[in-house]
Amino acid sequence: VFPAFSAGWRISDEAFFQGVGFINDLKLRAGWGQTGNQEIGNYLILDTYGPNNETANYDIRGTNTSVLNGLQTAAFGNPSVKWEATATTNVGFNLAALNNQLTLEFDWFQRLTTDMLLQVPVPTLKGLANNPFRNVGEMKNTGIDFSLLWSSPLDRPFTYSVGVNFTQYKNEVTKLFDPNQIIVSGGYREYNASRTQQGQPIGSFYGWVIDGIFQNQGEVDAHADQAGAAVGRWRIQDVNEDGVINDSDRSFIGNPHPDFTLGVPMTFNYKGFDLNLFWFGSFGNDVFNANKLFLNFQSYFTNSQRGKSILQSWGQPGVDPLTAPLPSISQNQPGTELQPSTYFVEDGTYFRLNQAVLGYNVPLKSGGLVERLRVYAQGINLLTFTNYTGIDPMVSTPNPNGGGGDTQIGVDRGQYPVVKQLMLGLTMTF
Ligand SMILES: [Ca+2]
């Protein structure tokens, strides 16, 4: 059972408020509610089994020509798992002013997730299957949302409205039941770039800090003791300044959560024409561009194709060695170059025209066969402003509503990008 309470106070109806003419409506709201997380699957308490053509089938009859389908463990269960709950407190107001031309909805919220359910890796000795869910701790999302909309008077030939939907939140894993627990997430391609740890945002990026490229032997000799150090290779920062580069020099190097997101709806109407635009942007979020691993490093999948970015490697003709973005091309790279580092972390900020629709209502004589005729052109994802070097900066949408949260948000594994589309349409009403 998940309870909820809310209360509102329409201040604009109070006697003392009657003199404030430019405000048409003002309502204060406050609420508290608890919900479970519906995004997590069923049967988490049980080990589940499934077929696997590669690893579960066996020629048990010894025919040498056919196999019988077998079953193997698909996911480990956890008998002690229980519901995760998120308690949301929100305080806000709705305002309408200036003849209702301006509307504003504002909310401050705090979402506290308790008994947070995450998939936690188990030792490989148990066998290969999806990791079991465990109630690992608590997470807090605190932030604000507001929607502001300005509409022109409607009794004109040209009318318009412009809005802003703003969301800002701060995420923190406030408590893990084992405070020293480190939940490492990722896949083989990016060598587990994401970490969830008490006191940090969920799914933070963790790895080496790249401090440039060794330009000469003098720099190599002067640097902390680093395995594989050589001219033309990454220089890794000695974060704890103890003269040795080792695991304790890895640190949190990126936060996949945005500083804020922005939606901007716009509508314009002039006589029979209408134009609707919807812009969306995410600002200040880091993306772990895992694609760079197999596009830019010669020793990863040794004989496969590379991106042309490797032509900018240190030592290539025409490349300034002081600003080369990549170490020297080599089949024998030190392993640290392929491990998560600041090289893979990029600013994922983008602003995109998600949708644009231009329509025209063709004027028709009344009483004809066709009552209404509208022609329109619609574009999806026509324009994107970003400095992100991957195919699509819209890598994932973090979920500020709490509820589990993703331990691997913001990792670009080369998923299919949002395609550009242009459609022409015709709507007829008879
Ligand atoms: Ca060190």
Side-chain angles (χ1 to χ4, degrees):
V1 179
F2 293 109
F5 309 97
S6 67
W9 178 30
R10 176 156 271 141
I11 303 183
S12 49
D13 284 353
E14 301 289 338
F16 67 81
F17 207 80
Q18 298 311 311
V20 190
F22 66 93
I23 291 180
N24 307 102
D25 190 30
L26 177 61
K27 184 184 175 188
L28 295 188
R29 292 176 282 104
W32 181 88
Q34 203 177 37
T35 53
N37 181 3
Q38 298 176 335
E39 289 170 29
I40 289 173
N42 297 321
Y43 312 118
L44 300 181
I45 61 170
L46 304 170
D47 284 349
T48 52
Y49 298 86
N52 185 318
N53 286 335
E54 287 174 25
T55 54
N57 298 348
Y58 190 70
D59 181 15
I60 201 166
R61 289 175 296 200
T63 60
N64 285 333
T65 55
S66 65
V67 293
L68 286 180
N69 293 332
L71 291 175
Q72 68 177 39
T73 315
F76 295 119
N78 175 4
S80 58
V81 79
K82 62 178 173 179
W83 274 82
E84 151 184 311
T86 296
T88 303
T89 309
N90 71 290
V91 181
F93 64 88
N94 294 7
L95 172 79
L98 304 171
N99 297 321
N100 290 309
Q101 281 183 255
L102 182 74
T103 58
L104 172 64
E105 280 180 41
F106 179 92
D107 274 286
W108 172 88
F109 63 84
Q110 183 167 85
R111 299 187 179 102
L112 186 63
T113 303
T114 47
D115 296 317
M116 176 167 65
L117 279 169
L118 292 181
Q119 275 181 300
V120 179
V122 292
T124 324
L125 277 175
K126 267 201 90 172
L128 288 173
N130 287 340
N131 288 319
F133 277 88
R134 280 193 197 143
N135 298 102
V136 294
E138 296 179 2
M139 175 169 78
K140 193 166 75 174
N141 280 289
T142 312
I144 57 166
D145 272 334
F146 70 78
S147 308
L148 186 67
L149 185 70
W150 171 259
S151 309
S152 67
L154 293 174
D155 54 349
R156 312 271 162 91
F158 173 67
T159 61
Y160 67 93
S161 69
V162 178
V164 173
N165 310 320
F166 175 94
T167 298
Q168 177 272 329
Y169 71 93
K170 183 174 181 288
N171 174 285
E172 188 188 341
V173 175
T174 44
K175 179 174 152 188
L176 290 182
F177 297 137
D178 170 2
N180 299 317
Q181 186 178 12
I182 295 166
I183 300 166
V184 178
S185 319
Y188 70 99
R189 278 188 174 168
E190 72 280 7
Y191 288 93
N192 303 319
S194 306
R195 272 195 180 206
T196 296
Q197 201 171 314
Q198 185 170 307
Q200 298 287 336
I202 191 169
S204 295
F205 304 139
Y206 191 85
W208 308 110
V209 178
I210 301 299
D211 191 20
I213 293 172
F214 290 115
Q215 301 295 331
N216 52 57
Q217 191 57 39
E219 287 187 21
V220 176
D221 297 340
H223 189 62
D225 190 9
Q226 173 186 326
V231 176
R233 310 256 49 97
W234 282 149
R235 184 171 61 208
I236 295 170
Q237 196 176 65
D238 184 13
V239 171
N240 66 357
E241 298 181 333
D242 66 351
V244 184
I245 304 298
N246 58 23
D247 263 0
S248 26
D249 293 307
R250 294 192 298 157
S251 59
F252 287 97
I253 54 175
N255 181 350
H257 301 271
D259 295 336
F260 62 93
T261 60
L262 206 59
V264 181
M266 298 171 161
T267 65
F268 305 92
N269 291 279
Y270 180 71
K271 295 186 174 168
F273 290 96
D274 56 89
L275 175 65
N276 287 274
L277 305 175
F278 185 73
W279 301 82
F280 182 82
S282 176
F283 296 83
N285 57 299
D286 291 323
V287 171
F288 190 91
N289 186 354
N291 305 309
K292 284 176 165 181
L293 184 59
F294 49 91
L295 287 174
N296 296 352
F297 290 95
Q298 192 63 22
S299 64
Y300 188 79
F301 284 155
T302 311
N303 292 318
S304 59
Q305 276 281 9
R306 300 297 139 180
K308 64 181 179 191
S309 44
I310 67 161
L311 298 174
Q312 298 303 311
S313 296
W314 192 91
Q316 290 301 296
V319 175
D320 179 355
L322 291 173
T323 58
L326 276 167
S328 168
I329 294 174
S330 168
Q331 298 278 8
N332 298 305
Q333 292 177 271
T336 48
E337 288 189 353
L338 306 179
Q339 289 166 2
S341 71
T342 50
Y343 171 68
F344 299 96
V345 178
E346 296 187 39
D347 181 2
T349 297
Y350 74 94
F351 192 60
R352 169 172 284 172
L353 180 55
N354 269 8
Q355 179 163 296
V357 184
L358 176 65
Y360 180 61
N361 286 300
V362 180
L364 298 169
K365 280 181 197 152
S366 61
L369 176 64
V370 179
E371 253 177 49
R372 186 167 168 257
L373 175 61
R374 175 177 149 82
V375 290
Y376 65 92
Q378 178 177 12
I380 306 278
N381 183 21
L382 293 183
L383 275 175
T384 302
F385 302 95
T386 186
N387 288 325
Y388 180 61
T389 65
I391 296 174
D392 188 347
M394 202 185 79
V395 171
S396 65
T397 310
N399 178 11
N401 298 315
D406 192 344
T407 52
Q408 297 177 45
I409 62 171
V411 177
D412 186 353
R413 297 183 172 81
Q415 78 266 43
Y416 203 77
V418 177
V419 291
K420 253 182 202 154
Q421 293 179 55
L422 190 60
M423 287 167 276
L424 297 174
L426 187 68
T427 313
M428 292 170 97
T429 313
F430 297 98

